[in-house]
Amino acid sequence: MHSSRARLICRSTNPFTPSIALWQHFVLLNRHSLRQQRAHNSTETPSPYPFIGANTLPFIRAVDEADVASPAPSKVQELSIRKISKNNQNKWRGGQPKPRVVNARNPTPWDEDKPNSPVSILIKTNKEIETRGDYEGQYMTPMGGPHQFQAKREHLPWVLQPDRVSTSITGMQRLDMEIERFHEYATPSRTEALARRHLIDQVTSHVHRISRHMELEVFGSERTGLALATSDIDLRLTNVSAAESPPNSHDPRLPPPHFQRQRLVDRLHTLTAKLSRLPEYDACTVVYARYPLLTVLDIASGLEVQIVSSNDTSFARATMQKYMDEYPFIRQVYSVVKTMFEIRGLSDTFRGGFGSYPIFMMIVASIVHCPEARRPKTSGEGLKHFLVFWSDIKLDKMGISIEPAEFYDKDSQAPMSGKARAKLAKTPSKRPSFYMSLRDPADPTNDLGRKGHAIKHVQATLRKLSGQLMINLNQTDLDSLLTPIVGPVYSLNRGRRMRL
């Protein structure tokens, strides 16, 4: 039996059907991929907004461009990032790229092939040190794409709106306000903190399922409260049993002995084999360092988790807390400095950069070595003094001590253990003079700058940023004092933070 009414057929090359809109709202969230419906004879390029009419597209694009020219991935794109098989981690649905961490180890696509990108410069630096033992420091430009990928400055969370800026405030007062607003932006929101806590619980649960003898402990910036919203999560793989770790067998502040270290490394390999089979993770890799670690990328959040076979960090944590209590503005300064290093590839410890703990102690050193009368009292003064102190200090002969606040001859008094000093006496191997020597106040035998051969790039960068800030503090028509320092961090992290 046929209908007595003739069926209306749209001959448009981009027809609208109500079923598509209903499908989008009620069915799409349970689907892994979606194709735009259009006529089979159409040669028109598929629209990035398949469910919106052609007359509405110009308005949508205008809204996107007004906010930021590089929009965050849509829910359709986010949901299409799924593994097809546990056994093949390189196959992804929808042809979408794997979620990636934007830093020096995982640069953005437009940074990988640039000769002046942080990654290229650090690789070139390593080669020059191997061949001739030295290199020329240069200003490190922030990672980021072409101009169309940058957000407008008036949309940045830390930029003060013109109607809220009083003409009577000084440049330093404005810098204080921007740093405080940036700290609020950079640290995890309530939702992001819950997402990070959920990931910690998830990894801990999976590790316990693999072996009930393995215990994980949160440490690092996540434990001290200094973590940024997109910071890696550090978990310490603790001793598995009292039999393998007799009490008082060694100083807990020192690295574990060889036999215990080997057992921990074996367990890292066990975790790598097991976690790589789970659909929640990708890029499980064991990295060999002074403290071997396992890096795992969580697919859902895009956060990187590091499981480290490190020593006890409670004493270092207490030392950091003491300085944060004495100088409350250190937290705000750290958020800016950490971002400044990270956005320029200078926090990549695998290529000669500086990690979170050395950066924190560099800030402390710049404060305690300032005369009492001129010691910073606000975050703006702290940032300004940090830039000036580390750009001007001569590192070829002297090292820096925090407790007590003094300088020492780094050739004869360099921080190291007695065993390392005895070995050095037998087989002298002079380290290049440009290396920074910073004595760890929590462990006098630990030199926080012994592997930071990018220090000349750090000083060149801080020298330029310091001079630029001094000029900008006297300007009244600038959009922001802080944006030249932190770079395009908002654009680079916008998509990742939306996923959290």
Side-chain angles (χ1 to χ4, degrees), residues 458-500:
V458 171
Q459 288 195 292
T461 301
L462 298 184
R463 196 172 296 118
K464 181 173 180 177
L465 293 177
S466 173
Q468 187 178 13
L469 180 62
M470 297 301 177
I471 296 174
N472 292 345
L473 285 173
N474 297 319
Q475 304 292 326
T476 59
D477 56 346
L478 296 178
D479 295 331
S480 172
L481 296 172
L482 202 58
T483 301
I485 296 176
V486 298
V489 63
Y490 178 78
S491 299
L492 291 179
N493 286 337
R494 182 171 179 263
R496 293 185 62 206
R497 297 193 65 168
M498 290 184 69
R499 293 180 64 178
L500 287 176

mmCIF file of all heavy atoms in Angstrom, residues 458-500:
data_model
loop_
_atom_site.group_PDB
_atom_site.id
_atom_site.type_symbol
_atom_site.label_atom_id
_atom_site.label_comp_id
_atom_site.label_asym_id
_atom_site.label_seq_id
_atom_site.Cartn_x
_atom_site.Cartn_y
_atom_site.Cartn_z
ATOM 1 N N VAL A 458 69.441 29.627 29.264
ATOM 2 C CA VAL A 458 68.608 30.207 30.315
ATOM 3 C C VAL A 458 69.049 31.633 30.609
ATOM 4 O O VAL A 458 68.213 32.553 30.675
ATOM 5 C CB VAL A 458 68.690 29.344 31.596
ATOM 6 C CG1 VAL A 458 68.015 30.051 32.771
ATOM 7 C CG2 VAL A 458 68.045 27.986 31.366
ATOM 8 N N GLN A 459 70.333 31.842 30.765
ATOM 9 C CA GLN A 459 70.824 33.178 31.091
ATOM 10 C C GLN A 459 70.591 34.159 29.952
ATOM 11 O O GLN A 459 70.213 35.311 30.196
ATOM 12 C CB GLN A 459 72.305 33.113 31.451
ATOM 13 C CG GLN A 459 72.586 32.460 32.801
ATOM 14 C CD GLN A 459 73.993 32.737 33.293
ATOM 15 O OE1 GLN A 459 74.972 32.268 32.734
ATOM 16 N NE2 GLN A 459 74.093 33.502 34.377
ATOM 17 N N ALA A 460 70.801 33.715 28.718
ATOM 18 C CA ALA A 460 70.547 34.598 27.575
ATOM 19 C C ALA A 460 69.070 34.973 27.486
ATOM 20 O O ALA A 460 68.720 36.119 27.179
ATOM 21 C CB ALA A 460 71.009 33.924 26.289
ATOM 22 N N THR A 461 68.207 34.017 27.761
ATOM 23 C CA THR A 461 66.768 34.278 27.717
ATOM 24 C C THR A 461 66.352 35.227 28.832
ATOM 25 O O THR A 461 65.606 36.195 28.603
ATOM 26 C CB THR A 461 65.990 32.956 27.829
ATOM 27 O OG1 THR A 461 66.363 32.098 26.748
ATOM 28 C CG2 THR A 461 64.492 33.203 27.780
ATOM 29 N N LEU A 462 66.828 34.963 30.050
ATOM 30 C CA LEU A 462 66.475 35.823 31.181
ATOM 31 C C LEU A 462 67.035 37.225 31.002
ATOM 32 O O LEU A 462 66.414 38.207 31.440
ATOM 33 C CB LEU A 462 66.984 35.212 32.490
ATOM 34 C CG LEU A 462 66.417 33.843 32.867
ATOM 35 C CD1 LEU A 462 66.939 33.421 34.235
ATOM 36 C CD2 LEU A 462 64.903 33.850 32.861
ATOM 37 N N ARG A 463 68.185 37.339 30.375
ATOM 38 C CA ARG A 463 68.785 38.651 30.147
ATOM 39 C C ARG A 463 67.895 39.500 29.241
ATOM 40 O O ARG A 463 67.654 40.685 29.505
ATOM 41 C CB ARG A 463 70.176 38.474 29.542
ATOM 42 C CG ARG A 463 71.046 39.720 29.601
ATOM 43 C CD ARG A 463 72.454 39.395 29.154
ATOM 44 N NE ARG A 463 73.099 38.434 30.051
ATOM 45 C CZ ARG A 463 73.512 37.223 29.701
ATOM 46 N NH1 ARG A 463 73.365 36.823 28.443
ATOM 47 N NH2 ARG A 463 74.084 36.431 30.573
ATOM 48 N N LYS A 464 67.370 38.893 28.194
ATOM 49 C CA LYS A 464 66.501 39.639 27.281
ATOM 50 C C LYS A 464 65.161 39.953 27.930
ATOM 51 O O LYS A 464 64.644 41.074 27.813
ATOM 52 C CB LYS A 464 66.288 38.839 25.993
ATOM 53 C CG LYS A 464 65.405 39.561 24.984
ATOM 54 C CD LYS A 464 65.349 38.834 23.656
ATOM 55 C CE LYS A 464 64.465 39.583 22.660
ATOM 56 N NZ LYS A 464 64.441 38.925 21.334
ATOM 57 N N LEU A 465 64.572 38.983 28.621
ATOM 58 C CA LEU A 465 63.278 39.211 29.263
ATOM 59 C C LEU A 465 63.392 40.248 30.374
ATOM 60 O O LEU A 465 62.474 41.047 30.584
ATOM 61 C CB LEU A 465 62.744 37.898 29.829
ATOM 62 C CG LEU A 465 62.350 36.828 28.807
ATOM 63 C CD1 LEU A 465 61.899 35.559 29.509
ATOM 64 C CD2 LEU A 465 61.242 37.343 27.886
ATOM 65 N N SER A 466 64.519 40.254 31.093
ATOM 66 C CA SER A 466 64.726 41.226 32.159
ATOM 67 C C SER A 466 64.783 42.641 31.590
ATOM 68 O O SER A 466 64.121 43.564 32.105
ATOM 69 C CB SER A 466 66.011 40.913 32.916
ATOM 70 O OG SER A 466 66.305 41.926 33.851
ATOM 71 N N GLY A 467 65.562 42.826 30.530
ATOM 72 C CA GLY A 467 65.642 44.151 29.917
ATOM 73 C C GLY A 467 64.310 44.613 29.354
ATOM 74 O O GLY A 467 63.948 45.793 29.474
ATOM 75 N N GLN A 468 63.566 43.680 28.749
ATOM 76 C CA GLN A 468 62.259 44.024 28.197
ATOM 77 C C GLN A 468 61.277 44.401 29.302
ATOM 78 O O GLN A 468 60.495 45.342 29.158
ATOM 79 C CB GLN A 468 61.719 42.845 27.391
ATOM 80 C CG GLN A 468 60.428 43.140 26.632
ATOM 81 C CD GLN A 468 59.971 41.948 25.809
ATOM 82 O OE1 GLN A 468 60.457 40.831 25.971
ATOM 83 N NE2 GLN A 468 59.027 42.182 24.914
ATOM 84 N N LEU A 469 61.324 43.682 30.432
ATOM 85 C CA LEU A 469 60.411 43.991 31.531
ATOM 86 C C LEU A 469 60.726 45.355 32.128
ATOM 87 O O LEU A 469 59.802 46.111 32.482
ATOM 88 C CB LEU A 469 60.512 42.905 32.605
ATOM 89 C CG LEU A 469 59.622 43.088 33.834
ATOM 90 C CD1 LEU A 469 58.145 43.083 33.443
ATOM 91 C CD2 LEU A 469 59.896 41.999 34.872
ATOM 92 N N MET A 470 61.999 45.703 32.256
ATOM 93 C CA MET A 470 62.364 47.001 32.818
ATOM 94 C C MET A 470 61.801 48.139 31.976
ATOM 95 O O MET A 470 61.336 49.160 32.501
ATOM 96 C CB MET A 470 63.892 47.124 32.905
ATOM 97 C CG MET A 470 64.545 46.119 33.830
ATOM 98 S SD MET A 470 63.928 46.253 35.522
ATOM 99 C CE MET A 470 64.829 44.914 36.283
ATOM 100 N N ILE A 471 61.831 47.955 30.661
ATOM 101 C CA ILE A 471 61.278 48.978 29.772
ATOM 102 C C ILE A 471 59.757 49.019 29.879
ATOM 103 O O ILE A 471 59.141 50.093 29.964
ATOM 104 C CB ILE A 471 61.712 48.713 28.321
ATOM 105 C CG1 ILE A 471 63.239 48.842 28.197
ATOM 106 C CG2 ILE A 471 61.026 49.673 27.360
ATOM 107 C CD1 ILE A 471 63.769 48.456 26.825
ATOM 108 N N ASN A 472 59.129 47.840 29.886
ATOM 109 C CA ASN A 472 57.665 47.783 29.882
ATOM 110 C C ASN A 472 57.064 48.299 31.190
ATOM 111 O O ASN A 472 55.914 48.768 31.188
ATOM 112 C CB ASN A 472 57.204 46.344 29.645
ATOM 113 C CG ASN A 472 57.515 45.863 28.245
ATOM 114 O OD1 ASN A 472 57.828 46.656 27.354
ATOM 115 N ND2 ASN A 472 57.451 44.562 28.030
ATOM 116 N N LEU A 473 57.793 48.208 32.301
ATOM 117 C CA LEU A 473 57.252 48.699 33.569
ATOM 118 C C LEU A 473 56.993 50.195 33.541
ATOM 119 O O LEU A 473 56.168 50.699 34.325
ATOM 120 C CB LEU A 473 58.214 48.360 34.717
ATOM 121 C CG LEU A 473 58.232 46.900 35.179
ATOM 122 C CD1 LEU A 473 59.346 46.670 36.198
ATOM 123 C CD2 LEU A 473 56.884 46.510 35.800
ATOM 124 N N ASN A 474 57.664 50.900 32.660
ATOM 125 C CA ASN A 474 57.475 52.346 32.557
ATOM 126 C C ASN A 474 56.493 52.731 31.461
ATOM 127 O O ASN A 474 56.272 53.928 31.233
ATOM 128 C CB ASN A 474 58.829 53.031 32.301
ATOM 129 C CG ASN A 474 59.805 52.822 33.450
ATOM 130 O OD1 ASN A 474 59.418 52.885 34.616
ATOM 131 N ND2 ASN A 474 61.073 52.573 33.129
ATOM 132 N N GLN A 475 55.935 51.738 30.782
ATOM 133 C CA GLN A 475 54.961 52.013 29.719
ATOM 134 C C GLN A 475 53.547 51.971 30.302
ATOM 135 O O GLN A 475 53.247 51.158 31.174
ATOM 136 C CB GLN A 475 55.097 50.992 28.594
ATOM 137 C CG GLN A 475 56.485 50.895 27.976
ATOM 138 C CD GLN A 475 56.878 52.148 27.207
ATOM 139 O OE1 GLN A 475 56.030 52.804 26.590
ATOM 140 N NE2 GLN A 475 58.151 52.493 27.239
ATOM 141 N N THR A 476 52.687 52.803 29.787
ATOM 142 C CA THR A 476 51.297 52.851 30.264
ATOM 143 C C THR A 476 50.297 52.406 29.212
ATOM 144 O O THR A 476 49.105 52.302 29.515
ATOM 145 C CB THR A 476 50.944 54.285 30.697
ATOM 146 O OG1 THR A 476 51.125 55.183 29.584
ATOM 147 C CG2 THR A 476 51.824 54.730 31.858
ATOM 148 N N ASP A 477 50.742 52.126 27.997
ATOM 149 C CA ASP A 477 49.811 51.785 26.922
ATOM 150 C C ASP A 477 49.925 50.326 26.490
ATOM 151 O O ASP A 477 49.443 49.957 25.420
ATOM 152 C CB ASP A 477 50.054 52.692 25.711
ATOM 153 C CG ASP A 477 51.496 52.629 25.205
ATOM 154 O OD1 ASP A 477 52.360 52.095 25.948
ATOM 155 O OD2 ASP A 477 51.763 53.108 24.086
ATOM 156 N N LEU A 478 50.550 49.478 27.311
ATOM 157 C CA LEU A 478 50.706 48.074 26.953
ATOM 158 C C LEU A 478 49.499 47.256 27.418
ATOM 159 O O LEU A 478 48.902 47.544 28.452
ATOM 160 C CB LEU A 478 51.982 47.507 27.578
ATOM 161 C CG LEU A 478 53.303 48.119 27.107
ATOM 162 C CD1 LEU A 478 54.467 47.483 27.863
ATOM 163 C CD2 LEU A 478 53.490 47.930 25.608
ATOM 164 N N ASP A 479 49.171 46.232 26.623
ATOM 165 C CA ASP A 479 48.064 45.345 27.008
ATOM 166 C C ASP A 479 48.430 44.502 28.216
ATOM 167 O O ASP A 479 47.599 44.248 29.081
ATOM 168 C CB ASP A 479 47.681 44.427 25.838
ATOM 169 C CG ASP A 479 47.125 45.194 24.660
ATOM 170 O OD1 ASP A 479 46.530 46.255 24.889
ATOM 171 O OD2 ASP A 479 47.300 44.734 23.512
ATOM 172 N N SER A 480 49.690 44.037 28.261
ATOM 173 C CA SER A 480 50.090 43.118 29.333
ATOM 174 C C SER A 480 51.590 43.200 29.558
ATOM 175 O O SER A 480 52.372 43.342 28.613
ATOM 176 C CB SER A 480 49.691 41.681 28.972
ATOM 177 O OG SER A 480 50.221 40.757 29.888
ATOM 178 N N LEU A 481 51.987 43.099 30.816
ATOM 179 C CA LEU A 481 53.403 43.024 31.163
ATOM 180 C C LEU A 481 53.893 41.585 31.203
ATOM 181 O O LEU A 481 55.072 41.323 31.004
ATOM 182 C CB LEU A 481 53.636 43.681 32.533
ATOM 183 C CG LEU A 481 53.344 45.169 32.660
ATOM 184 C CD1 LEU A 481 53.441 45.598 34.116
ATOM 185 C CD2 LEU A 481 54.302 45.987 31.807
ATOM 186 N N LEU A 482 52.994 40.662 31.454
ATOM 187 C CA LEU A 482 53.372 39.275 31.686
ATOM 188 C C LEU A 482 53.363 38.427 30.419
ATOM 189 O O LEU A 482 54.086 37.429 30.338
ATOM 190 C CB LEU A 482 52.428 38.656 32.726
ATOM 191 C CG LEU A 482 52.924 37.429 33.486
ATOM 192 C CD1 LEU A 482 54.210 37.732 34.235
ATOM 193 C CD2 LEU A 482 51.851 36.945 34.451
ATOM 194 N N THR A 483 52.557 38.791 29.446
ATOM 195 C CA THR A 483 52.414 37.953 28.251
ATOM 196 C C THR A 483 53.731 37.717 27.511
ATOM 197 O O THR A 483 53.981 36.592 27.067
ATOM 198 C CB THR A 483 51.366 38.558 27.299
ATOM 199 O OG1 THR A 483 50.115 38.649 28.000
ATOM 200 C CG2 THR A 483 51.183 37.701 26.067
ATOM 201 N N PRO A 484 54.617 38.715 27.342
ATOM 202 C CA PRO A 484 55.900 38.405 26.688
ATOM 203 C C PRO A 484 56.731 37.368 27.435
ATOM 204 O O PRO A 484 57.579 36.706 26.832
ATOM 205 C CB PRO A 484 56.607 39.769 26.659
ATOM 206 C CG PRO A 484 55.509 40.780 26.745
ATOM 207 C CD PRO A 484 54.474 40.152 27.622
ATOM 208 N N ILE A 485 56.493 37.197 28.724
ATOM 209 C CA ILE A 485 57.275 36.253 29.525
ATOM 210 C C ILE A 485 56.713 34.846 29.416
ATOM 211 O O ILE A 485 57.453 33.873 29.233
ATOM 212 C CB ILE A 485 57.314 36.719 30.994
ATOM 213 C CG1 ILE A 485 58.050 38.049 31.106
ATOM 214 C CG2 ILE A 485 57.996 35.663 31.875
ATOM 215 C CD1 ILE A 485 58.063 38.637 32.499
ATOM 216 N N VAL A 486 55.389 34.700 29.523
ATOM 217 C CA VAL A 486 54.775 33.362 29.522
ATOM 218 C C VAL A 486 54.432 32.882 28.118
ATOM 219 O O VAL A 486 54.143 31.687 27.928
ATOM 220 C CB VAL A 486 53.519 33.345 30.405
ATOM 221 C CG1 VAL A 486 53.880 33.662 31.836
ATOM 222 C CG2 VAL A 486 52.461 34.321 29.890
ATOM 223 N N GLY A 487 54.452 33.750 27.120
ATOM 224 C CA GLY A 487 54.239 33.322 25.736
ATOM 225 C C GLY A 487 52.822 32.828 25.473
ATOM 226 O O GLY A 487 51.887 33.104 26.239
ATOM 227 N N PRO A 488 52.644 32.038 24.410
ATOM 228 C CA PRO A 488 51.306 31.578 24.011
ATOM 229 C C PRO A 488 50.827 30.358 24.784
ATOM 230 O O PRO A 488 50.276 29.415 24.221
ATOM 231 C CB PRO A 488 51.489 31.256 22.523
ATOM 232 C CG PRO A 488 52.892 30.771 22.425
ATOM 233 C CD PRO A 488 53.674 31.590 23.431
ATOM 234 N N VAL A 489 51.028 30.353 26.093
ATOM 235 C CA VAL A 489 50.651 29.184 26.895
ATOM 236 C C VAL A 489 49.145 28.964 26.879
ATOM 237 O O VAL A 489 48.666 27.827 26.915
ATOM 238 C CB VAL A 489 51.182 29.338 28.335
ATOM 239 C CG1 VAL A 489 50.560 30.546 29.024
ATOM 240 C CG2 VAL A 489 50.937 28.080 29.152
ATOM 241 N N TYR A 490 48.374 30.042 26.802
ATOM 242 C CA TYR A 490 46.915 29.899 26.795
ATOM 243 C C TYR A 490 46.455 29.158 25.551
ATOM 244 O O TYR A 490 45.621 28.240 25.627
ATOM 245 C CB TYR A 490 46.262 31.283 26.865
ATOM 246 C CG TYR A 490 44.754 31.240 26.811
ATOM 247 C CD1 TYR A 490 44.006 30.890 27.926
ATOM 248 C CD2 TYR A 490 44.070 31.548 25.631
ATOM 249 C CE1 TYR A 490 42.627 30.846 27.875
ATOM 250 C CE2 TYR A 490 42.690 31.509 25.574
ATOM 251 C CZ TYR A 490 41.975 31.161 26.694
ATOM 252 O OH TYR A 490 40.599 31.102 26.642
ATOM 253 N N SER A 491 46.988 29.512 24.385
ATOM 254 C CA SER A 491 46.594 28.856 23.136
ATOM 255 C C SER A 491 47.025 27.398 23.115
ATOM 256 O O SER A 491 46.271 26.522 22.682
ATOM 257 C CB SER A 491 47.208 29.593 21.937
ATOM 258 O OG SER A 491 46.747 30.922 21.875
ATOM 259 N N LEU A 492 48.237 27.121 23.591
ATOM 260 C CA LEU A 492 48.762 25.761 23.534
ATOM 261 C C LEU A 492 48.039 24.818 24.486
ATOM 262 O O LEU A 492 47.861 23.637 24.178
ATOM 263 C CB LEU A 492 50.258 25.768 23.853
ATOM 264 C CG LEU A 492 51.174 26.410 22.810
ATOM 265 C CD1 LEU A 492 52.619 26.377 23.267
ATOM 266 C CD2 LEU A 492 51.049 25.728 21.460
ATOM 267 N N ASN A 493 47.614 25.332 25.633
ATOM 268 C CA ASN A 493 47.006 24.465 26.647
ATOM 269 C C ASN A 493 45.488 24.519 26.670
ATOM 270 O O ASN A 493 44.865 23.805 27.457
ATOM 271 C CB ASN A 493 47.533 24.839 28.042
ATOM 272 C CG ASN A 493 48.956 24.374 28.262
ATOM 273 O OD1 ASN A 493 49.427 23.444 27.610
ATOM 274 N ND2 ASN A 493 49.659 25.025 29.161
ATOM 275 N N ARG A 494 44.886 25.323 25.826
ATOM 276 C CA ARG A 494 43.437 25.495 25.883
ATOM 277 C C ARG A 494 42.708 24.183 25.625
ATOM 278 O O ARG A 494 41.794 23.800 26.370
ATOM 279 C CB ARG A 494 42.997 26.549 24.863
ATOM 280 C CG ARG A 494 41.512 26.841 24.874
ATOM 281 C CD ARG A 494 41.196 28.053 23.996
ATOM 282 N NE ARG A 494 39.779 28.326 23.993
ATOM 283 C CZ ARG A 494 38.932 27.925 23.062
ATOM 284 N NH1 ARG A 494 39.389 27.182 22.058
ATOM 285 N NH2 ARG A 494 37.658 28.225 23.107
ATOM 286 N N GLY A 495 43.107 23.469 24.586
ATOM 287 C CA GLY A 495 42.454 22.206 24.271
ATOM 288 C C GLY A 495 42.656 21.164 25.355
ATOM 289 O O GLY A 495 41.724 20.435 25.717
ATOM 290 N N ARG A 496 43.873 21.077 25.881
ATOM 291 C CA ARG A 496 44.167 20.082 26.928
ATOM 292 C C ARG A 496 43.366 20.354 28.188
ATOM 293 O O ARG A 496 42.867 19.430 28.829
ATOM 294 C CB ARG A 496 45.657 20.101 27.246
ATOM 295 C CG ARG A 496 46.550 19.623 26.109
ATOM 296 C CD ARG A 496 47.980 19.573 26.567
ATOM 297 N NE ARG A 496 48.156 18.619 27.656
ATOM 298 C CZ ARG A 496 49.116 18.698 28.562
ATOM 299 N NH1 ARG A 496 49.975 19.698 28.532
ATOM 300 N NH2 ARG A 496 49.221 17.791 29.503
ATOM 301 N N ARG A 497 43.216 21.632 28.556
ATOM 302 C CA ARG A 497 42.495 21.943 29.776
ATOM 303 C C ARG A 497 40.994 21.726 29.613
ATOM 304 O O ARG A 497 40.308 21.387 30.579
ATOM 305 C CB ARG A 497 42.799 23.380 30.208
ATOM 306 C CG ARG A 497 44.263 23.592 30.544
ATOM 307 C CD ARG A 497 44.514 24.889 31.259
ATOM 308 N NE ARG A 497 43.885 24.915 32.578
ATOM 309 C CZ ARG A 497 44.147 25.843 33.492
ATOM 310 N NH1 ARG A 497 45.045 26.799 33.233
ATOM 311 N NH2 ARG A 497 43.541 25.833 34.660
ATOM 312 N N MET A 498 40.492 21.902 28.418
ATOM 313 C CA MET A 498 39.082 21.615 28.181
ATOM 314 C C MET A 498 38.807 20.124 28.315
ATOM 315 O O MET A 498 37.723 19.707 28.737
ATOM 316 C CB MET A 498 38.658 22.123 26.809
ATOM 317 C CG MET A 498 38.593 23.647 26.701
ATOM 318 S SD MET A 498 37.970 24.204 25.110
ATOM 319 C CE MET A 498 36.254 23.677 25.241
ATOM 320 N N ARG A 499 39.789 19.290 27.968
ATOM 321 C CA ARG A 499 39.619 17.844 28.113
ATOM 322 C C ARG A 499 39.542 17.445 29.579
ATOM 323 O O ARG A 499 38.884 16.463 29.939
ATOM 324 C CB ARG A 499 40.774 17.108 27.446
ATOM 325 C CG ARG A 499 40.801 17.264 25.947
ATOM 326 C CD ARG A 499 41.962 16.511 25.353
ATOM 327 N NE ARG A 499 41.827 15.077 25.582
ATOM 328 C CZ ARG A 499 42.681 14.178 25.133
ATOM 329 N NH1 ARG A 499 43.743 14.589 24.448
ATOM 330 N NH2 ARG A 499 42.499 12.907 25.357
ATOM 331 N N LEU A 500 40.235 18.185 30.443
ATOM 332 C CA LEU A 500 40.186 17.872 31.864
ATOM 333 C C LEU A 500 38.811 18.178 32.453
ATOM 334 O O LEU A 500 38.407 17.572 33.429
ATOM 335 C CB LEU A 500 41.257 18.664 32.620
ATOM 336 C CG LEU A 500 42.707 18.207 32.417
ATOM 337 C CD1 LEU A 500 43.644 19.142 33.150
ATOM 338 C CD2 LEU A 500 42.876 16.788 32.931
#
